[in-house]
Amino acid sequence: MPILILGVDIISENPKRFAVVSWFNGRLEKKGEFTFYRLVRFIRAKRPDIIAMDNIHELGDELKKFLRALPQGTKLVQVTGRPGEQRSLWSLARENGIRVGDKFDPYEEAKVCALLASKGVGYEVLAFEDEVIIKVSRGRSQGKGGWSQDRYRRRVHNLIQNKVREIEEALRKADIPFDLEVEEKDYGLARGEFKVYASREELAGLIKPMHGGDVEIKINPVERKSLEFVPLKSEKAIQVRKSVIVGLDPGITVGIAALDLDGNIVAVYSERNMAVSDIVRFISDIGHPIILATDVNPAPGLVEKIARSFKAILYVPRESLRVEEKNELLRSLGISVDDDHQRDALAAAYKAYLRLKPKLEHVDAKLRELGLMKKSNEIKALVIQGYNLGEAIMKVKLRERPKEEIKALPEEESVDVTPYIEKIKELERTIEMLERENQELRAIIEEQKKKIEKLEDKLAYYDEEVRAKVIKSREIEIRDKRIAYLEKELREAKAIIEKLSRDLVLAKRMHLLELKGSAVPLKVLENLTWKEIERLERSAQIKKDDIIYVVNPSGAGKSIAEHLVEKGIRALISAKTLPDNVYGVLRENKVPVFYEDEIEVKRVDEFAIVDREELERAIEQKLAQWEEEDREKEIQEFLKLVEEYRIERIKELKRKAEEEG
């Protein structure tokens, strides 16, 4: 696998500048001098496998920021060892056959760091637990109250619930253990918080963060309480510890309890936001868990995971323990605990112990008879693991049995060794032949090695060249997109500036006309609605003899027209046809109505005017027109009444004539 390592060493403290050397499949290359932020950008672009340093604390106050900025899969390695156990960089170089030039050259130190890391020397710096917190919550503010805000809030809570279910299903399918804490609201969820027992790398591509919409998903790795240093080459340690039965209650607050194999309480503890590594470390400090117990059925994923890591037997009750049963178990133990999590953990451990108690008491009785009570803990642990009592006792005894001294073999009687000598000679000839064949094969292998080295050099050069071309093409593509985006923004900005310039000139002219008295200002309503009227009332108020200009009157009702009449407006100008009921109310109350084809309106945003003489003439003509129409209407109605009276009179005369005849 091609591997990229960056060796980094500090050049200056103020300002911080770093020397960087890259190692790619055996090829070293000086990358130059970097500021802190340029170094971070470079690392995020290159995504190296390892960042190698002789002392990570050279990063100073920027260390935490640097660790958070590292891309997934990139390790930070301190090649000189753990803090307090660090060795000289140059002594490590000598041990690993690395030639050193100028020891005062930062680039030389960066090169040595990269080469040491390539040989597996150093300790990886771990800043994060193998745990992730996933928070699902509302993405936007709900605004102020009202029916629409209530509907929107309920909709968002349903969306949060759906997203929580999606994440839960994805984690279950991937067989990743987790704990979930939710806040229910409006038949949905106000928020959901997952504590996932997996690293960021395991979740990559499975769950993605979301920002800017109705629902927000944040994925944050859990930081360790202190930095840990793990060797690049794994180390093993064997430790003999007392066997215990552990009860575990996982969740946001973790409860842990431990009993020894005699049923005595060893530990009871609880802590909020306890990392998996802290749980494992706490249990390891108590002893070796032979059984890991839970109070619920089925067992939580975290309990299964920790049981596997200790190779412990998992105890799960037939049914989840009820609160009354847990309290009764604690009363029989004669102990009180600080919280429910400690209670649940201790109840689980004690329930597991009670299941095994008859078998363990039988083992103790037999061991008393045999005088082996000193080995009670070891033998009972083996019995719990599945050995019968006899096998367990033998296994413990064999561990302690001293090695028997090898007795000298007795002298054998003299025998004829001639056939054996002949066989030895034949084998020596075969060995000689095989050695010659081995030499020939070694020569062929050496030749093949040289060819492989040449091909690897070519491949490394080609890989580096391809990598550089890909990065360059990506940078060009990003730059081109950025240029196109900025050009578009510039065009839009120029268009806005031109429009604003025209509007400013027009506004100045309109204001000048108004000051001269040759123009009348209009109060503008974008829509003829109560909301717009209230907005206008708050900003400018509608007063007697105001001229109102309406852009969109559709949807207005009779009550709005009556309100404007009560305010005493002098006239109304509309860009579109008014609804009949609005027009009828205004006409009835002698409030002139005009459309834009009848009178010229000059407008800039919220500011509009009309020519005073044109407006006065139009109002006079409109009122005269309506008066003429009303007079004509009255005449028509009078004539209609006269005609109706004439017809009725003729009918009456005819009826009288018929009666007299």
Side-chain angles (χ1 to χ4, degrees), residues 149-165:
Q149 280 80 4
D150 289 342
R151 286 196 300 272
Y152 172 70
R153 187 183 65 248
R154 287 194 293 273
R155 174 178 168 273
V156 170
H157 290 162
N158 283 326
L159 289 173
I160 292 171
Q161 184 179 47
N162 293 337
K163 190 55 68 176
V164 167
R165 285 174 179 168

Side-chain angles (χ1 to χ4, degrees), residues 183-201:
E183 182 185 332
E184 296 182 359
K185 208 160 192 179
D186 296 331
Y187 304 102
L189 297 178
R191 69 174 190 87
E193 183 174 325
F194 291 84
K195 189 174 186 182
V196 183
Y197 304 104
S199 63
R200 287 184 296 174
E201 287 74 15

Side-chain angles (χ1 to χ4, degrees), residues 423-661:
K423 184 66 176 176
I424 289 168
K425 286 180 180 178
E426 185 183 343
L427 290 172
E428 284 176 347
R429 284 193 296 272
T430 304
I431 290 168
E432 188 178 349
M433 183 184 69
L434 289 172
E435 283 178 347
R436 283 198 301 271
E437 187 178 348
N438 190 22
Q439 286 175 357
E440 291 172 3
L441 291 173
R442 283 179 181 278
I444 292 169
I445 289 169
E446 286 299 321
E447 188 179 346
Q448 293 299 323
K449 278 185 178 178
K450 288 177 182 176
K451 286 182 180 178
I452 289 168
E453 284 177 4
K454 287 181 181 178
L455 291 172
E456 282 180 344
D457 289 341
K458 285 183 180 178
L459 183 62
Y461 177 75
Y462 176 74
D463 285 347
E464 187 68 22
E465 192 176 359
V466 168
R467 183 192 284 264
K469 284 181 180 177
V470 168
I471 291 168
K472 188 175 181 181
S473 64
R474 284 180 184 170
E475 288 175 351
I476 290 170
E477 186 181 351
I478 292 167
R479 184 195 64 193
D480 290 346
K481 285 181 180 178
R482 179 68 177 163
I483 290 170
Y485 174 75
L486 291 173
E487 285 178 344
K488 182 185 174 185
E489 279 197 336
L490 182 61
R491 287 195 299 272
E492 290 174 354
K494 283 182 176 178
I496 291 168
I497 290 167
E498 288 176 3
K499 182 181 179 301
L500 290 174
S501 298
R502 291 195 300 272
D503 290 350
L504 181 62
V505 171
L506 184 57
K508 286 180 178 179
R509 290 177 182 171
M510 291 164 67
H511 186 56
L512 185 61
L513 291 171
E514 187 180 354
L515 291 173
K516 288 181 178 179
S518 59
V520 177
L522 309 181
K523 291 186 176 175
V524 179
L525 288 171
E526 288 293 333
N527 299 290
L528 195 52
T529 61
W530 284 113
K531 187 177 180 180
E532 280 290 301
I533 289 171
E534 287 171 5
R535 182 193 60 78
L536 185 59
E537 288 278 15
R538 283 196 302 271
S539 60
Q541 293 188 350
I542 300 174
K543 299 189 290 295
K544 190 174 183 301
D545 292 332
D546 276 349
I547 311 297
I548 303 297
Y549 176 68
V550 178
V551 178
N552 181 15
S554 63
K558 185 178 178 182
S559 60
I560 289 177
E562 290 171 347
H563 176 74
L564 294 175
V565 170
E566 285 177 9
K567 285 289 183 179
I569 66 169
R570 191 177 179 202
L572 185 142
I573 302 171
S574 177
K576 296 179 182 177
T577 306
L578 285 173
D580 293 341
N581 53 357
V582 175
Y583 182 86
V585 170
L586 295 174
R587 190 187 188 292
E588 185 181 344
N589 289 276
K590 300 295 186 292
V591 177
V593 175
F594 303 102
Y595 297 110
E596 285 192 339
D597 58 348
E598 296 178 284
I599 190 166
E600 185 183 0
V601 176
K602 295 176 182 177
R603 183 188 174 200
V604 177
D605 295 330
E606 299 298 316
F607 186 63
I609 61 169
V610 293
D611 184 76
R612 184 179 295 277
E613 290 183 4
E614 184 181 358
L615 177 65
E616 295 295 341
R617 186 165 56 253
I619 290 173
E620 187 179 342
Q621 288 174 357
K622 181 64 73 172
L623 291 174
Q625 178 190 337
W626 283 355
E627 190 177 344
E628 182 64 30
E629 287 175 359
D630 290 345
R631 191 163 47 251
E632 183 66 29
K633 186 177 178 182
E634 287 174 2
I635 292 169
Q636 291 298 327
E637 287 177 355
F638 177 75
L639 291 174
K640 185 179 177 182
L641 287 171
V642 170
E643 181 64 21
E644 287 174 356
Y645 176 76
R646 188 179 66 79
I647 292 168
E648 288 294 325
R649 186 64 180 159
I650 291 170
K651 285 180 182 178
E652 187 179 349
L653 291 173
K654 281 183 179 181
R655 191 169 56 255
K656 283 182 179 180
E658 287 174 359
E659 289 175 357
E660 290 175 0

Side-chain angles (χ1 to χ4, degrees), residues 42-56:
F42 181 72
I43 289 168
R44 293 185 74 85
K46 294 288 185 180
R47 304 182 74 86
D49 299 278
I50 292 175
I51 309 292
M53 300 183 72
D54 64 334
N55 185 355
I56 62 166

Side-chain angles (χ1 to χ4, degrees), residues 164-217:
V164 167
R165 285 174 179 168
E166 282 178 27
I167 295 171
E168 190 175 3
E169 187 179 352
L171 291 172
R172 290 193 193 282
K173 282 183 179 178
D175 198 23
I176 296 174
F178 65 91
D179 286 306
L180 172 61
E181 189 176 274
V182 297
E183 182 185 332
E184 296 182 359
K185 208 160 192 179
D186 296 331
Y187 304 102
L189 297 178
R191 69 174 190 87
E193 183 174 325
F194 291 84
K195 189 174 186 182
V196 183
Y197 304 104
S199 63
R200 287 184 296 174
E201 287 74 15
E202 289 178 80
L203 291 180
L206 186 66
I207 298 162
K208 295 181 180 177
M210 287 176 61
H211 302 285
D214 292 329
V215 178
E216 184 174 70
I217 299 176

Side-chain angles (χ1 to χ4, degrees), residues 21-60:
V21 173
S22 73
W23 182 94
F24 183 70
N25 284 8
R27 184 181 175 191
L28 288 164
E29 184 181 347
K30 183 177 174 181
K31 289 296 181 182
E33 189 175 313
F34 291 77
T35 62
F36 175 78
Y37 290 103
R38 186 162 165 256
L39 176 62
V40 169
R41 288 197 298 273
F42 181 72
I43 289 168
R44 293 185 74 85
K46 294 288 185 180
R47 304 182 74 86
D49 299 278
I50 292 175
I51 309 292
M53 300 183 72
D54 64 334
N55 185 355
I56 62 166
H57 293 289
E58 289 177 346
L59 291 163

Side-chain angles (χ1 to χ4, degrees), residues 190-306:
R191 69 174 190 87
E193 183 174 325
F194 291 84
K195 189 174 186 182
V196 183
Y197 304 104
S199 63
R200 287 184 296 174
E201 287 74 15
E202 289 178 80
L203 291 180
L206 186 66
I207 298 162
K208 295 181 180 177
M210 287 176 61
H211 302 285
D214 292 329
V215 178
E216 184 174 70
I217 299 176
K218 291 181 180 178
I219 303 176
N220 297 314
V222 177
E223 288 190 12
R224 293 175 183 263
K225 292 177 181 176
S226 60
L227 295 178
E228 291 195 22
F229 293 77
V230 177
L232 287 178
K233 292 181 179 177
S234 61
E235 292 179 345
K236 294 181 180 178
I238 300 170
Q239 205 172 18
V240 178
R241 291 169 295 160
K242 185 177 181 181
S243 296
V244 290
I245 298 170
V246 175
L248 182 62
D249 178 46
I252 302 301
T253 300
V254 177
I256 306 172
L259 305 175
D260 63 17
L261 299 186
D262 295 321
N264 300 314
I265 297 171
V266 177
V268 180
Y269 182 72
S270 62
E271 184 180 330
R272 187 173 172 81
N273 293 325
M274 199 174 185
V276 175
S277 61
D278 293 335
I279 298 171
V280 171
R281 194 179 298 112
F282 184 88
I283 295 172
S284 297
D285 290 343
I286 297 169
H288 175 68
I290 199 77
I291 290 175
L292 203 70
T294 177
D295 66 325
V296 294
N297 188 337
L302 178 61
V303 178
E304 291 181 354
K305 181 176 180 179
I306 292 177

